[in-house]
Amino acid sequence: MNKAYFLFELRQLFRSKKTIGLFCLLIVYAGVYCLQQRDYRPIERVDQAEMTQRYQVRQAFLEEQAAQPSDHWSAALAIAAFTPWNQAEKARLDALAEGDWQAYAEATSQWYQVALQYTDDQNIFYTPEYYTYKNYYAAYDGRFGYASTARLMESYSQLPNTQLSQAVMEQKTGIQTVYRAMLDSLPIVLLSATLFLALDHLLKERKHRTLFLAYPVAPEDILWVKTAAVMFCSTCMTLMTIGLIWIGTGLQYGFGSGSLPVAIFSSAVDARYPITSMEAFTTQSVGLFLIQCIGTIFLIQLIYTRSILLLSVLFRSEYMNLLLMGFCLITPFIFQHRWFSVFLDRTNTIYLYQEVGKILSGYSRFYFGSSSFTLSKGLLWFGVIWLLIEIGLFFKVKSKTFRFV
């Protein structure tokens, strides 16, 4: 009976105009995101013209100092910095000329390690794109970008040359684009789709109350069947959106490999202080990273679905569901402030863990200035919330005043 009821709920859900509309919106989102990748320019990119210009200017200075040495202390400092820096730059340019991406990655890692030693945001500045409007942490962002790139390039240099390309170096391949989407707005978009999908999944039964109450299925089973139907539909939406982004970008820049590494900011590093070396980062395969992201998103989708079902039996109001769940969904954008955990520990604020990509990559630890924003702590809080929801549903279903709609 439960299987037949599940198939019935599933058919009703997939035939709903709201569900069809959500699928269409996600298709549009994926399409627009893929089109935007044509104009995507990473801050740390393969730019041969920029490298050549920088190399020539510094090499001219070194040659001038070799011919006519200056006694000024700044000249000695510049020579000490530019000599190893230009050696790495020359190796990068040579590797590009030969099409040897493995050698290019190795030289680039060396370039950024030297850059971390001599760039101080006073005499030698970071890449100009870090200095955006109202970014008061450009130097911190520069160190984060330089150190993560150094670690990432070191990992790339250990891969076979056939697996590397300019698109891989700039993280433009299909699977790397999905990774970047996970660091952006994709998790919130997928959770929003689940919220609207489950919003009236129980309350819509008011339209045929007599038929619904005549089902020979226990109330607990009805709630779980409805949960399973919503989760199945949410899973289809999630995988469809990720698949479209992967395919759409892959057709432009290559699909990439799940074994490609991504840089992870270590939880052992004190995020309150500037990053000094690439040792602040570890690496992980992008495939494992995405599996963890998708698994965590599924868990949060389940919690949202069960929360809406609990609110539906408590208040029986679609507007209350939308107000409370919508507030939980958008709070990361309203109340988060950079570095607030340096002064006040906010690592127990559960809504901040909804941006799962930033949590897993360690960017939240860097952004909020706290090493405690970890996936394990987020999962612990999600587990507590889920337990409370199940306890609330259990007691409500067993109460004498219980009624579905």
Side-chain angles (χ1 to χ4, degrees):
M1 174 58 69
N2 286 355
K3 180 180 178 181
Y5 179 49
F6 170 73
L7 294 175
F8 170 78
E9 285 286 349
L10 209 56
R11 284 194 297 270
Q12 292 294 106
L13 195 59
F14 273 96
R15 291 174 180 174
S16 167
K17 293 181 180 179
K18 180 180 67 174
T19 304
I20 295 172
L22 287 172
F23 270 103
C24 292
L25 286 174
L26 289 175
I27 291 172
V28 171
Y29 170 84
V32 170
Y33 196 89
C34 291
L35 290 174
Q36 288 177 340
Q37 300 316 301
R38 296 180 178 180
D39 300 323
Y40 172 68
R41 282 171 56 85
I43 295 178
E44 308 304 338
R45 57 186 177 269
V46 181
D47 192 331
Q48 189 170 4
E50 180 184 333
M51 283 184 250
T52 302
Q53 181 182 22
R54 185 169 52 225
Y55 172 78
Q56 291 175 345
V57 170
R58 292 177 178 177
Q59 191 62 28
F61 170 80
L62 291 174
E63 291 173 358
E64 180 184 347
Q65 289 300 310
Q68 298 179 348
S70 172
D71 294 333
H72 197 274
W73 65 269
S74 61
L77 180 63
I79 292 171
F82 291 163
T83 300
W85 221 341
N86 254 22
Q87 289 174 355
E89 196 86 85
K90 182 66 164 57
R92 295 174 80 190
L93 291 169
D94 291 344
L96 281 178
E98 297 172 4
D100 188 345
W101 290 107
Q102 191 178 47
Y104 173 82
E106 183 177 358
T108 301
S109 178
Q110 290 296 324
W111 190 94
Y112 280 103
Q113 290 180 62
V114 174
L116 282 169
Q117 297 178 35
Y118 294 104
T119 309
D120 57 7
D121 200 39
Q122 294 179 356
N123 299 304
I124 302 177
F125 292 89
Y126 295 95
T127 305
E129 282 88 339
Y130 288 112
Y131 301 90
T132 55
Y133 179 63
K134 287 190 176 181
N135 181 14
Y136 305 110
Y137 303 94
Y140 286 87
D141 289 345
R143 286 190 169 274
F144 183 93
Y146 277 27
S148 62
T149 303
R151 174 63 75 187
L152 192 61
M153 290 298 167
E154 182 193 54
S155 298
Y156 283 157
S157 68
Q158 299 170 6
L159 297 175
N161 202 48
T162 55
Q163 200 173 347
L164 301 174
S165 65
Q166 181 173 343
V168 170
M169 297 293 167
E170 296 181 345
Q171 299 193 14
K172 285 185 175 182
T173 64
I175 196 165
Q176 290 171 307
T177 302
V178 175
Y179 158 76
R180 288 190 287 104
M182 285 294 180
L183 300 182
D184 196 9
S185 59
L186 182 58
I188 299 298
V189 169
L190 296 174
L191 293 177
S192 300
T194 300
L195 186 152
F196 283 103
L197 193 66
L199 197 60
D200 64 340
H201 193 49
L202 179 61
L203 298 175
K204 65 180 176 61
E205 307 295 357
R206 290 172 179 169
K207 298 177 181 179
H208 39 82
R209 188 191 305 265
T210 304
L211 178 62
F212 171 67
L213 296 177
Y215 289 149
V217 182
E220 299 92 337
D221 293 339
I222 288 177
L223 293 175
W224 275 114
V225 167
K226 286 185 173 293
T227 301
V230 171
M231 285 303 299
F232 183 85
C233 193
S234 294
T235 300
C236 292
M237 288 181 173
T238 299
L239 297 180
M240 178 202 71
T241 307
I242 292 173
L244 288 175
I245 293 175
W246 175 63
I247 293 172
T249 312
L251 292 173
Q252 302 177 61
Y253 302 106
F255 295 99
S257 168
S259 62
L260 291 173
V262 293
I264 306 294
F265 187 56
S266 175
S267 59
V269 176
D270 193 336
R272 295 173 298 174
Y273 300 100
I275 298 167
T276 58
S277 73
M278 71 174 187
E279 300 304 320
F281 289 84
T282 59
T283 57
Q284 184 182 54
S285 70
V286 66
L288 179 58
F289 178 91
L290 292 178
I291 288 173
Q292 292 177 326
C293 271
I294 295 170
T296 307
I297 288 172
F298 284 159
L299 174 62
I300 303 175
Q301 287 173 332
L302 175 60
I303 292 172
Y304 265 114
T305 302
R306 298 296 285 178
S307 299
I308 290 173
L309 290 175
L310 176 60
L311 292 174
S312 296
V313 297
L314 287 176
F315 303 109
R316 295 189 291 279
S317 169
E318 294 178 28
Y319 297 107
M320 185 64 69
N321 290 349
L322 180 61
L323 179 64
L324 294 179
M325 291 296 97
F327 178 77
C328 292
L329 192 64
I330 65 174
T331 41
F333 302 106
I334 298 176
F335 296 108
Q336 69 178 13
H337 299 285
R338 189 165 188 174
W339 269 39
F340 58 42
S341 284
V342 173
F343 311 104
L344 179 66
D345 184 18
R346 297 294 298 276
T347 59
N348 293 324
T349 308
I350 189 168
Y351 61 74
L352 293 174
Y353 292 91
Q354 294 180 102
E355 297 183 293
V356 296
K358 293 179 180 179
I359 294 292
L360 283 166
S361 68
Y363 185 75
S364 291
R365 293 191 285 276
F366 168 73
Y367 185 87
F368 294 124
S370 172
S371 300
S372 300
F373 281 98
T374 60
L375 177 63
S376 56
K377 190 167 187 177
L379 291 176
L380 177 62
W381 275 114
F382 289 138
V384 170
I385 296 298
W386 188 10
L387 178 61
L388 293 175
I389 291 169
E390 295 303 329
I391 291 173
L393 280 170
F394 175 80
F395 282 106
K396 182 59 181 177
V397 168
K398 297 300 181 182
S399 68
K400 296 181 180 179
T401 60
F402 169 75
R403 64 188 180 94
F404 271 119
V405 291

